[in-house]
mmCIF file of all heavy atoms in Angstrom:
data_model
loop_
_atom_site.group_PDB
_atom_site.id
_atom_site.type_symbol
_atom_site.label_atom_id
_atom_site.label_comp_id
_atom_site.label_asym_id
_atom_site.label_seq_id
_atom_site.Cartn_x
_atom_site.Cartn_y
_atom_site.Cartn_z
ATOM 1 N N GLN M 240 16.306 -10.350 -3.360
ATOM 2 C CA GLN M 240 15.501 -9.146 -3.480
ATOM 3 C C GLN M 240 14.107 -9.483 -3.975
ATOM 4 O O GLN M 240 13.898 -10.491 -4.634
ATOM 5 C CB GLN M 240 16.140 -8.181 -4.479
ATOM 6 C CG GLN M 240 17.274 -7.372 -3.917
ATOM 7 C CD GLN M 240 17.655 -6.212 -4.820
ATOM 8 O OE1 GLN M 240 17.239 -6.160 -5.967
ATOM 9 N NE2 GLN M 240 18.420 -5.296 -4.290
ATOM 10 N N VAL M 241 13.178 -8.602 -3.638
ATOM 11 C CA VAL M 241 11.813 -8.748 -4.118
ATOM 12 C C VAL M 241 11.504 -7.567 -5.040
ATOM 13 O O VAL M 241 11.892 -6.437 -4.765
ATOM 14 C CB VAL M 241 10.816 -8.820 -2.948
ATOM 15 C CG1 VAL M 241 10.827 -7.559 -2.109
ATOM 16 C CG2 VAL M 241 9.424 -9.142 -3.455
ATOM 17 N N GLN M 242 10.846 -7.853 -6.161
ATOM 18 C CA GLN M 242 10.412 -6.802 -7.069
ATOM 19 C C GLN M 242 8.897 -6.640 -6.943
ATOM 20 O O GLN M 242 8.167 -7.633 -6.860
ATOM 21 C CB GLN M 242 10.761 -7.153 -8.521
ATOM 22 C CG GLN M 242 12.253 -7.117 -8.829
ATOM 23 C CD GLN M 242 12.977 -8.374 -8.367
ATOM 24 O OE1 GLN M 242 12.511 -9.489 -8.580
ATOM 25 N NE2 GLN M 242 14.127 -8.195 -7.723
ATOM 26 N N LEU M 243 8.450 -5.394 -6.926
ATOM 27 C CA LEU M 243 7.044 -5.093 -6.722
ATOM 28 C C LEU M 243 6.494 -4.323 -7.919
ATOM 29 O O LEU M 243 7.150 -3.385 -8.411
ATOM 30 C CB LEU M 243 6.855 -4.258 -5.458
ATOM 31 C CG LEU M 243 7.412 -4.864 -4.160
ATOM 32 C CD1 LEU M 243 7.334 -3.855 -3.026
ATOM 33 C CD2 LEU M 243 6.675 -6.136 -3.799
ATOM 34 N N ALA M 263 4.309 -9.381 -6.531
ATOM 35 C CA ALA M 263 5.717 -9.537 -6.187
ATOM 36 C C ALA M 263 6.363 -10.644 -6.997
ATOM 37 O O ALA M 263 5.714 -11.627 -7.371
ATOM 38 C CB ALA M 263 5.860 -9.849 -4.709
ATOM 39 N N SER M 264 7.649 -10.483 -7.216
ATOM 40 C CA SER M 264 8.443 -11.533 -7.841
ATOM 41 C C SER M 264 9.837 -11.489 -7.237
ATOM 42 O O SER M 264 10.218 -10.520 -6.586
ATOM 43 C CB SER M 264 8.507 -11.344 -9.363
ATOM 44 O OG SER M 264 9.125 -10.113 -9.687
ATOM 45 N N GLY M 265 10.579 -12.560 -7.433
ATOM 46 C CA GLY M 265 11.935 -12.610 -6.918
ATOM 47 C C GLY M 265 12.052 -13.391 -5.632
ATOM 48 O O GLY M 265 12.927 -14.232 -5.479
ATOM 49 N N ARG M 266 11.168 -13.105 -4.689
ATOM 50 C CA ARG M 266 11.121 -13.825 -3.417
ATOM 51 C C ARG M 266 9.668 -13.927 -2.981
ATOM 52 O O ARG M 266 8.852 -13.080 -3.337
ATOM 53 C CB ARG M 266 11.926 -13.099 -2.334
ATOM 54 C CG ARG M 266 13.422 -13.264 -2.463
ATOM 55 C CD ARG M 266 14.121 -12.744 -1.233
ATOM 56 N NE ARG M 266 15.544 -13.011 -1.277
ATOM 57 C CZ ARG M 266 16.396 -12.664 -0.315
ATOM 58 N NH1 ARG M 266 15.943 -12.050 0.763
ATOM 59 N NH2 ARG M 266 17.670 -12.943 -0.423
ATOM 60 N N PRO M 267 9.322 -14.947 -2.209
ATOM 61 C CA PRO M 267 7.935 -15.084 -1.746
ATOM 62 C C PRO M 267 7.500 -13.870 -0.928
ATOM 63 O O PRO M 267 8.226 -13.400 -0.057
ATOM 64 C CB PRO M 267 7.965 -16.343 -0.877
ATOM 65 C CG PRO M 267 9.135 -17.114 -1.369
ATOM 66 C CD PRO M 267 10.156 -16.087 -1.785
ATOM 67 N N LEU M 268 6.340 -13.389 -1.215
ATOM 68 C CA LEU M 268 5.837 -12.198 -0.532
ATOM 69 C C LEU M 268 5.624 -12.436 0.957
ATOM 70 O O LEU M 268 5.686 -11.492 1.748
ATOM 71 C CB LEU M 268 4.525 -11.758 -1.192
ATOM 72 C CG LEU M 268 4.085 -10.325 -0.966
ATOM 73 C CD1 LEU M 268 5.118 -9.351 -1.496
ATOM 74 C CD2 LEU M 268 2.730 -10.084 -1.585
ATOM 75 N N ASN M 270 7.454 -13.381 3.121
ATOM 76 C CA ASN M 270 8.600 -13.017 3.936
ATOM 77 C C ASN M 270 8.555 -11.571 4.416
ATOM 78 O O ASN M 270 9.370 -11.183 5.254
ATOM 79 C CB ASN M 270 9.898 -13.210 3.139
ATOM 80 C CG ASN M 270 10.175 -14.663 2.814
ATOM 81 O OD1 ASN M 270 9.733 -15.564 3.530
ATOM 82 N ND2 ASN M 270 10.892 -14.907 1.742
ATOM 83 N N TYR M 271 7.614 -10.785 3.876
ATOM 84 C CA TYR M 271 7.691 -9.347 4.085
ATOM 85 C C TYR M 271 6.410 -8.729 4.619
ATOM 86 O O TYR M 271 5.325 -8.973 4.083
ATOM 87 C CB TYR M 271 7.996 -8.653 2.757
ATOM 88 C CG TYR M 271 9.292 -9.080 2.125
ATOM 89 C CD1 TYR M 271 9.319 -10.118 1.195
ATOM 90 C CD2 TYR M 271 10.488 -8.464 2.453
ATOM 91 C CE1 TYR M 271 10.499 -10.517 0.610
ATOM 92 C CE2 TYR M 271 11.674 -8.860 1.871
ATOM 93 C CZ TYR M 271 11.672 -9.886 0.952
ATOM 94 O OH TYR M 271 12.852 -10.282 0.382
ATOM 95 N N ALA M 337 7.778 -2.934 0.680
ATOM 96 C CA ALA M 337 8.046 -4.095 1.527
ATOM 97 C C ALA M 337 9.202 -3.780 2.472
ATOM 98 O O ALA M 337 10.131 -3.048 2.114
ATOM 99 C CB ALA M 337 8.383 -5.307 0.662
ATOM 100 N N GLU M 352 12.314 -0.988 2.353
ATOM 101 C CA GLU M 352 13.485 -1.165 1.498
ATOM 102 C C GLU M 352 13.112 -1.333 0.024
ATOM 103 O O GLU M 352 13.864 -0.907 -0.850
ATOM 104 C CB GLU M 352 14.270 -2.394 1.965
ATOM 105 C CG GLU M 352 15.551 -2.660 1.194
ATOM 106 C CD GLU M 352 16.354 -3.799 1.786
ATOM 107 O OE1 GLU M 352 15.901 -4.395 2.788
ATOM 108 O OE2 GLU M 352 17.433 -4.096 1.237
ATOM 109 N N TYR M 353 11.991 -1.966 -0.236
ATOM 110 C CA TYR M 353 11.618 -2.275 -1.616
ATOM 111 C C TYR M 353 10.343 -1.524 -1.993
ATOM 112 O O TYR M 353 9.388 -1.480 -1.212
ATOM 113 C CB TYR M 353 11.397 -3.786 -1.783
ATOM 114 C CG TYR M 353 12.588 -4.596 -1.367
ATOM 115 C CD1 TYR M 353 12.593 -5.300 -0.173
ATOM 116 C CD2 TYR M 353 13.721 -4.645 -2.175
ATOM 117 C CE1 TYR M 353 13.688 -6.041 0.211
ATOM 118 C CE2 TYR M 353 14.832 -5.391 -1.800
ATOM 119 C CZ TYR M 353 14.815 -6.074 -0.603
ATOM 120 O OH TYR M 353 15.907 -6.800 -0.221
ATOM 121 N N TRP M 354 10.349 -0.977 -3.210
ATOM 122 C CA TRP M 354 9.238 -0.154 -3.683
ATOM 123 C C TRP M 354 8.845 -0.545 -5.099
ATOM 124 O O TRP M 354 9.697 -0.918 -5.912
ATOM 125 C CB TRP M 354 9.629 1.324 -3.673
ATOM 126 C CG TRP M 354 9.830 1.875 -2.300
ATOM 127 C CD1 TRP M 354 10.976 1.813 -1.550
ATOM 128 C CD2 TRP M 354 8.870 2.555 -1.502
ATOM 129 N NE1 TRP M 354 10.779 2.422 -0.330
ATOM 130 C CE2 TRP M 354 9.494 2.889 -0.278
ATOM 131 C CE3 TRP M 354 7.539 2.925 -1.695
ATOM 132 C CZ2 TRP M 354 8.825 3.573 0.742
ATOM 133 C CZ3 TRP M 354 6.881 3.603 -0.694
ATOM 134 C CH2 TRP M 354 7.522 3.921 0.510
#
Side-chain angles (χ1 to χ4, degrees):
Q240 280 194 347
V241 62
Q242 290 80 45
L243 304 172
S264 61
R266 284 190 174 180
L268 200 60
N270 294 334
Y271 300 93
E352 182 174 1
Y353 304 105
W354 293 85

